[in-house]
Amino acid sequence: QKEVEQNSGPLSVPEGAIASLNCTYSDRGSQSFFWYRQYSGKSPELIMSIYSNGDKEDGRFTAQLNKASQYVSLLIRDSQPSDSATYLCAVNGGGGSNYKLTFGKGTLLTVNP
Amino acid sequence: DAGVTQSPTHLIKTRGQQVTLRCSPKSGHDTVSWYQQALGQGPQFIFQYYEEEERQRGNFPDRFSGHQFPNYSSELNVNALLLGDSALYLCASSLGLGFNEQYFGPGTRLTVT
């Protein structure tokens, strides 16, 4: 089983719609969870971090964490063409003092005008 | 507030050569992690430096080595380059050892011919 898995893409949504991105992780000891946005040819940009169960909202973005189900998601409301990018889920922690980020392969999101 | 910087931006090397990549962390950060990102994949953890010591290492051969300087900047060295080392090399900085947010630099695109 892969350590971090993301829903297979690509995902295409119309402008103004809600985009839903999902991620599961295998290490129950994981402590922190992040979503990064990566435009083509660029480096990952941190857009959301979440550390405890529940929802965390920041503008049009909402991260949801369920540690019992080992599941983390990102919702993008009122999607814009500028949101078109690859979204990377990253998990930190687990297995003792393990401070590295483990990434999924990413989900390519396209927002159509 | 200065972000993470990396140099050079692009690099072309020949198989068997050696390369050094450089990173300066975000202002106020003292921990540097290095990642390798192949095309279409999520970043893979190489190693992490804190207080001038390698604290964690991913599944990379000894050809990959690093260093952290007293001003928290860091170098990644790769010896005996292979074609498979062609990738985007990312530096991420964070504050202290822990499950904290990591911020990425723009990356160095290494091509091995």
Side-chain angles (χ1 to χ4, degrees), chain B residues 20-91:
Chain B
T20 298
L21 309 182
R22 296 176 175 82
C23 170
S24 290
K26 179 180 169 71
S27 178
H29 285 182
D30 56 7
T31 303
V32 173
S33 303
W34 287 92
Y35 295 82
Q36 179 196 65
Q37 186 176 26
L39 207 59
Q41 302 294 316
Q44 297 292 313
F45 175 76
I46 303 175
F47 42 53
Q48 183 179 72
Y49 279 86
Y50 174 71
E51 292 185 336
E52 300 180 51
E53 290 187 15
E54 181 183 295
R55 299 292 179 153
Q56 269 193 271
R57 188 176 185 91
N59 188 25
F60 279 80
D62 291 345
R63 298 187 298 108
F64 289 77
S65 64
H67 187 79
Q68 186 179 35
F69 299 94
N71 67 352
Y72 310 122
S73 67
S74 176
E75 288 183 348
L76 163 65
N77 300 293
V78 187
N79 295 322
L81 285 167
L82 303 174
L83 294 180
D85 294 332
S86 295
L88 179 66
Y89 287 85
L90 296 161
C91 166

Side-chain angles (χ1 to χ4, degrees), chain A residues 6 21 36-40 83-88 105-109, chain B residues 37 41:
Chain A
Q6 297 186 235
L21 303 160
Y36 287 84
R37 176 175 63 197
Q38 187 171 27
Y39 292 113
S40 180
D83 295 326
S84 297
T86 295
Y87 288 79
L88 296 162
K105 290 181 64 174
T107 300
L108 177 62
L109 171 67
Chain B
Q37 186 176 26
Q41 302 294 316

